[in-house]
Amino acid sequence: MKKSMFSLIALVFALNGLHAQKYFTREGKISFHSSAVVEKIEAHNTSATSVVDTETGNLEFAVLIKAFQFEKALMQEHFNENYLESDKFPKATFKGALVNKADVNFAKDGTYKAKVKGNMTLHGVTNLVETTAVFVVKSSVISTSSEFSIAVADYKIEIPSLVKDNIAKEVQVVVKADLQQLKS
Amino acid sequence: MKKLIFQLLSICFFAPLAAAQDDLLSLLGEEEPVTEYATAAFKTDRVINLHSIESTAGRVLDVKISHRFGFVNGGFSELFGLDAASIRIGGDYGITNRLTVGIGRSSYEKTYDGFLKYKFLRQSSGAKTMPVTAAVFAGMAIKTTPWANPDRENYFSSRLYYTFQMVLGRKFSDRFSMQLSPTVVHRNLVRTKSESNDVLALGAAVRQKLTKRISINAEYIYVLPNQLADGYRNSLSIGFDIETGGHVFQLHFTNSTSMIEKGFITETVGDWANGGVHFGFNVSRVFTVKW
């Protein structure tokens, strides 16, 4: 009896070990750009953190707003001070999951197309985001990339009428990340 | 015994589930603290007349056109000062994010001025904590009006004025900032023996944001006693900063006519008590300069 109990416990632990298939990065690249009539706006962030659970298909991203780098210093200041209010809302996050988990085999090298759905929180506002992503699995590194657009108004980011020609209402977001296996 | 094993098992089963549903990012452990520098304590590198703790960003040219109309107490015949104007046209350039150079030319006493400003401390929190931002400022001015006494021997050096200043400030919240600027102004030539060549002064300035793009600013410069001739007063200015994309408009009332240190610190004559104030504005426009 006791022996069987022991082996059951051992099995449970072992299973948990298998379950812990998580991949991560602290150097994810997130950029966005918009081209309005007057001005092109572009910013890059190379310190996004992300964890992907290959077992459940859940994935998360987080990024510090202040770490977005603009070409123009004044743009960066306005982005933080006036639009994203990064003192109040220092981070943007995405919590979601693969919709077609079955189509993606993280255990096998290859290129997979995936649908991702989840909640994006930006400027203190959470919205549902659906997008497609590409996962490239190669020798235990998962590279993922995705592109989607968000509407500035959805996140309560106000654009004063005076500069409404300088700032596009839709912003293209590009995500690129190489994830390593997380050893716990 | 069985109960214990059952509990143990259920913990084994459910604990990982709970963790999985919780926060995936928390698996990465505590984030490494990053150093966050306070930004935009003031909208531009000037409060009104005084230099603020802000510098012009690296590779950015800030063109400033500043006006002070005549004294408001000139009355209706002078249209409350609008008939007269004192102008300074200048430009500040950020060599790096910390080092700024600037030049300017004022109509008041036909003065050319230039300065260097270096930010040596940056207010920050996180990995590195620094409670204040601090900068040193060195400026020089050349007065080019004809000599007051052309008959006597005049030296070029008599046209020169120097200012050394330290600017110490803190952004207390996203809305409120305050700074102090101990200053010494050196004048190579003064009119009478009773006036000091070196004038010590302490400036203080605050800004309070009213909306995201409008703030109210005030500055006062206390000149230590017995350095200036009678009739000279301390400079007091109150105004608004209005920001519109690439421009900052600063509209204000000030009792100082000059817009450079040697002028507004040591040569302010206006008296707030009887309307001896100027309406004025600074317009700042930034250009990102690439090469």
Coordinates of all heavy atoms in Angstrom, one line a residue, chain A residues 77 81 87, chain B residues 38-44 46-47 52-54 123 131-133 167-180 204-210 215-219 241:
Chain A
E77 N 9.4 62.4 -24.8 CA 8.9 63.1 -23.6 C 7.4 63.2 -23.7 O 6.7 63.0 -22.7 CB 9.5 64.5 -23.5 CG 9.1 65.3 -22.3 CD 9.8 66.6 -22.3 OE1 11.0 66.7 -22.5 OE2 9.1 67.6 -22.0
E81 N 4.8 61.8 -21.0 CA 4.2 62.8 -20.2 C 2.7 62.9 -20.5 O 1.9 63.0 -19.7 CB 4.9 64.1 -20.4 CG 6.2 64.3 -19.7 CD 6.0 64.7 -18.2 OE1 5.3 65.7 -18.0 OE2 6.5 64.1 -17.3
D87 N 4.2 57.6 -15.7 CA 4.4 57.6 -14.2 C 3.2 56.9 -13.6 O 3.3 56.2 -12.6 CB 4.4 59.1 -13.7 CG 5.9 59.6 -13.9 OD1 6.8 58.8 -13.9 OD2 6.0 60.8 -14.0
Chain B
A38 N 13.9 60.9 -13.6 CA 12.8 61.9 -13.7 C 12.9 62.7 -14.9 O 14.0 63.1 -15.3 CB 12.8 62.7 -12.5
T39 N 11.9 62.9 -15.7 CA 12.0 63.7 -16.9 C 10.9 64.8 -16.8 O 10.0 64.8 -16.1 CB 11.7 62.9 -18.1 OG1 10.4 62.3 -18.0 CG2 12.7 61.8 -18.4
A40 N 11.2 65.9 -17.6 CA 10.3 67.0 -17.8 C 9.8 67.6 -16.5 O 8.6 67.8 -16.3 CB 9.1 66.5 -18.6
A41 N 10.7 67.9 -15.6 CA 10.4 68.7 -14.4 C 9.9 70.0 -14.8 O 9.0 70.6 -14.1 CB 11.6 68.8 -13.5
F42 N 10.4 70.6 -15.9 CA 9.9 71.8 -16.5 C 9.8 71.5 -18.0 O 10.4 70.7 -18.5 CB 10.9 73.0 -16.2 CG 11.0 73.4 -14.8 CD1 11.8 72.8 -13.9 CD2 10.1 74.4 -14.3 CE1 11.8 73.2 -12.5 CE2 10.2 74.8 -13.0 CZ 11.0 74.2 -12.1
K43 N 9.0 72.4 -18.6 CA 8.7 72.1 -20.0 C 9.9 72.4 -20.9 O 10.1 71.8 -22.0 CB 7.5 73.0 -20.5 CG 6.2 72.5 -19.9 CD 5.4 71.7 -20.8 CE 4.0 71.4 -20.3 NZ 3.7 70.0 -20.2
T44 N 10.6 73.4 -20.6 CA 11.8 73.8 -21.4 C 13.0 74.0 -20.4 O 12.8 73.9 -19.2 CB 11.6 75.0 -22.2 OG1 11.9 76.2 -21.4 CG2 10.2 75.1 -22.8
R46 N 14.1 76.8 -19.6 CA 13.9 78.0 -18.8 C 12.7 77.9 -18.0 O 11.7 77.4 -18.5 CB 13.8 79.3 -19.8 CG 14.9 79.4 -20.8 CD 16.3 79.7 -20.2 NE 17.3 79.3 -21.1 CZ 17.8 80.2 -21.9 NH1 17.5 81.5 -21.9 NH2 18.8 79.9 -22.8
V47 N 12.7 78.5 -16.8 CA 11.4 78.6 -16.0 C 10.7 79.8 -16.6 O 9.6 79.6 -17.1 CB 11.7 78.8 -14.5 CG1 10.4 78.8 -13.8 CG2 12.6 77.7 -14.0
S52 N 16.2 76.4 -16.0 CA 15.6 75.4 -15.2 C 16.6 74.2 -15.1 O 17.6 74.3 -15.8 CB 14.3 74.9 -15.8 OG 14.5 74.1 -17.0
I53 N 16.2 73.2 -14.4 CA 17.1 72.0 -14.3 C 17.1 71.2 -15.6 O 17.9 70.3 -15.7 CB 16.7 71.1 -13.1 CG1 15.2 70.8 -13.1 CG2 17.1 71.7 -11.8 CD1 14.8 69.8 -12.0
E54 N 16.2 71.5 -16.5 CA 16.2 70.7 -17.7 C 17.3 71.2 -18.7 O 17.6 72.4 -18.7 CB 14.8 70.9 -18.4 CG 13.7 70.3 -17.6 CD 13.8 68.9 -17.3 OE1 14.5 68.1 -18.1 OE2 13.4 68.4 -16.2
Q123 N 18.0 63.3 -11.2 CA 17.0 62.7 -10.2 C 16.6 61.3 -10.7 O 16.2 61.2 -11.9 CB 15.8 63.6 -10.1 CG 14.8 63.1 -9.0 CD 13.6 63.9 -9.0 OE1 13.6 65.1 -9.4 NE2 12.5 63.3 -8.5
P131 N 18.0 62.0 -5.2 CA 16.8 62.8 -4.9 C 16.7 64.1 -5.8 O 15.6 64.7 -5.9 CB 17.0 63.2 -3.4 CG 18.5 63.1 -3.2 CD 19.0 62.0 -4.1
V132 N 17.8 64.6 -6.3 CA 17.7 65.9 -7.0 C 18.4 65.8 -8.4 O 19.2 64.9 -8.6 CB 18.4 67.0 -6.2 CG1 17.6 67.3 -5.0 CG2 19.9 66.7 -5.9
T133 N 18.1 66.8 -9.2 CA 18.8 67.0 -10.5 C 19.6 68.3 -10.2 O 19.1 69.2 -9.6 CB 17.8 67.2 -11.6 OG1 17.1 66.0 -11.8 CG2 18.6 67.6 -12.9
V167 N 22.1 75.0 -10.5 CA 20.7 74.8 -10.5 C 20.4 73.5 -9.8 O 20.9 72.4 -10.3 CB 20.1 74.9 -11.9 CG1 18.6 75.0 -11.8 CG2 20.7 76.0 -12.7
L168 N 19.7 73.5 -8.7 CA 19.4 72.3 -7.9 C 17.9 72.2 -7.9 O 17.2 73.1 -7.4 CB 19.9 72.5 -6.5 CG 21.2 72.0 -6.1 CD1 21.5 72.5 -4.7 CD2 21.2 70.5 -6.1
G169 N 17.3 71.1 -8.3 CA 15.9 71.0 -8.3 C 15.4 69.6 -8.2 O 16.1 68.6 -8.3
R170 N 14.1 69.5 -8.0 CA 13.5 68.2 -7.8 C 12.1 68.2 -8.4 O 11.3 69.2 -8.2 CB 13.4 67.8 -6.3 CG 12.7 66.5 -6.1 CD 12.9 66.1 -4.6 NE 12.0 65.0 -4.3 CZ 12.2 63.7 -4.5 NH1 13.3 63.3 -5.1 NH2 11.3 62.8 -4.2
K171 N 11.7 67.1 -9.1 CA 10.3 66.9 -9.5 C 9.7 66.2 -8.4 O 9.9 65.0 -8.2 CB 10.3 66.1 -10.8 CG 9.0 66.0 -11.5 CD 9.1 65.3 -12.8 CE 7.8 65.3 -13.6 NZ 7.9 64.5 -14.8
F172 N 8.9 66.9 -7.6 CA 8.3 66.2 -6.4 C 7.2 65.3 -6.8 O 7.0 64.2 -6.2 CB 7.8 67.3 -5.5 CG 8.9 67.9 -4.7 CD1 9.5 69.1 -5.2 CD2 9.3 67.4 -3.5 CE1 10.5 69.7 -4.5 CE2 10.4 68.0 -2.8 CZ 11.0 69.2 -3.3
S173 N 6.4 65.6 -7.8 CA 5.3 64.7 -8.3 C 5.2 65.0 -9.8 O 6.0 65.8 -10.3 CB 4.0 65.0 -7.6 OG 3.5 66.2 -8.1
D174 N 4.3 64.3 -10.4 CA 4.3 64.5 -11.9 C 3.8 65.9 -12.2 O 3.8 66.4 -13.3 CB 3.4 63.4 -12.6 CG 2.0 63.4 -12.1 OD1 1.7 63.9 -10.9 OD2 1.1 63.0 -12.8
R175 N 3.3 66.6 -11.2 CA 2.8 68.0 -11.4 C 3.6 69.1 -10.8 O 3.7 70.2 -11.4 CB 1.3 68.1 -10.8 CG 0.4 67.3 -11.6 CD -1.0 67.3 -11.0 NE -1.9 66.7 -12.1 CZ -2.6 67.4 -12.9 NH1 -2.6 68.8 -12.9 NH2 -3.4 66.8 -13.8
F176 N 4.3 68.8 -9.7 CA 5.0 69.8 -9.0 C 6.5 69.7 -9.0 O 7.0 68.6 -8.7 CB 4.5 69.9 -7.5 CG 5.1 71.0 -6.8 CD1 4.7 72.3 -7.0 CD2 6.0 70.8 -5.8 CE1 5.3 73.4 -6.3 CE2 6.6 71.8 -5.1 CZ 6.2 73.1 -5.3
S177 N 7.2 70.8 -9.4 CA 8.6 70.8 -9.4 C 9.1 72.1 -8.7 O 8.4 73.1 -8.8 CB 9.2 70.7 -10.8 OG 8.6 69.7 -11.5
M178 N 10.3 72.0 -8.1 CA 10.8 73.2 -7.5 C 12.3 73.2 -7.6 O 13.0 72.1 -7.7 CB 10.5 73.1 -6.0 CG 10.8 74.4 -5.3 SD 10.3 74.2 -3.5 CE 11.4 75.4 -2.8
Q179 N 12.9 74.3 -7.7 CA 14.4 74.4 -7.8 C 14.9 75.7 -7.2 O 14.3 76.7 -7.0 CB 14.8 74.4 -9.3 CG 14.3 75.6 -10.1 CD 15.0 75.7 -11.5 OE1 15.0 74.7 -12.2 NE2 15.5 76.8 -11.8
L180 N 16.2 75.6 -6.8 CA 17.0 76.7 -6.2 C 18.2 77.0 -7.1 O 18.8 76.0 -7.6 CB 17.4 76.3 -4.8 CG 16.3 76.3 -3.7 CD1 16.9 75.8 -2.5 CD2 15.7 77.6 -3.5
A204 N 14.8 81.1 -6.8 CA 13.9 80.0 -6.5 C 12.8 80.0 -7.5 O 12.3 81.0 -8.0 CB 13.3 80.2 -5.1
A205 N 12.4 78.8 -7.9 CA 11.4 78.7 -8.9 C 10.5 77.4 -8.7 O 11.0 76.4 -8.2 CB 12.0 78.6 -10.3
V206 N 9.2 77.6 -9.0 CA 8.3 76.4 -8.9 C 7.5 76.3 -10.2 O 7.3 77.3 -10.9 CB 7.3 76.6 -7.7 CG1 8.1 76.4 -6.4 CG2 6.6 77.9 -7.8
R207 N 7.0 75.1 -10.5 CA 6.1 75.0 -11.5 C 5.0 74.0 -11.0 O 5.3 73.0 -10.4 CB 6.7 74.5 -12.8 CG 6.9 73.0 -13.0 CD 5.7 72.4 -13.8 NE 5.8 70.9 -13.6 CZ 6.0 70.1 -14.7 NH1 6.1 70.6 -15.8 NH2 6.0 68.8 -14.4
Q208 N 3.8 74.3 -11.4 CA 2.7 73.4 -11.1 C 1.9 73.2 -12.3 O 1.4 74.1 -13.0 CB 1.8 74.1 -10.0 CG 0.4 73.4 -9.8 CD 0.6 72.1 -9.0 OE1 1.3 72.0 -8.0 NE2 -0.2 71.1 -9.3
K209 N 1.8 71.9 -12.7 CA 1.0 71.6 -13.9 C -0.5 71.7 -13.6 O -1.0 71.3 -12.6 CB 1.3 70.1 -14.3 CG 2.2 69.9 -15.5 CD 2.4 68.5 -15.7 CE 2.4 68.1 -17.1 NZ 2.8 66.7 -17.3
L210 N -1.2 72.4 -14.5 CA -2.6 72.5 -14.4 C -3.3 71.5 -15.2 O -4.3 70.9 -14.8 CB -3.1 73.9 -14.8 CG -2.4 75.1 -14.1 CD1 -2.8 76.4 -14.7 CD2 -2.7 75.1 -12.6
S215 N 1.1 74.6 -17.6 CA 1.5 74.7 -16.3 C 1.7 76.2 -15.9 O 1.8 77.1 -16.7 CB 2.9 74.0 -16.1 OG 3.9 74.7 -16.7
I216 N 1.7 76.4 -14.6 CA 1.9 77.8 -14.0 C 3.3 77.8 -13.4 O 3.6 76.8 -12.7 CB 0.7 78.2 -13.1 CG1 1.0 79.6 -12.6 CG2 0.6 77.3 -11.9 CD1 -0.3 80.2 -12.0
N217 N 4.0 78.8 -13.7 CA 5.4 78.9 -13.3 C 5.6 80.2 -12.5 O 5.0 81.2 -12.8 CB 6.4 78.9 -14.4 CG 6.4 77.6 -15.2 OD1 5.7 76.7 -15.0 ND2 7.3 77.6 -16.2
A218 N 6.5 80.1 -11.5 CA 6.8 81.4 -10.8 C 8.3 81.3 -10.4 O 8.8 80.2 -10.1 CB 6.0 81.5 -9.6
E219 N 9.0 82.5 -10.4 CA 10.4 82.5 -10.0 C 10.6 83.8 -9.3 O 10.0 84.9 -9.6 CB 11.3 82.3 -11.2 CG 11.2 83.4 -12.2 CD 12.2 83.3 -13.3 OE1 12.4 82.2 -13.9 OE2 12.9 84.3 -13.7
D241 N 3.1 78.1 -19.0 CA 3.7 77.4 -20.1 C 2.6 76.7 -20.8 O 1.8 76.0 -20.2 CB 4.7 76.3 -19.6 CG 6.1 76.8 -19.2 OD1 6.2 78.1 -19.2 OD2 6.9 76.0 -18.9

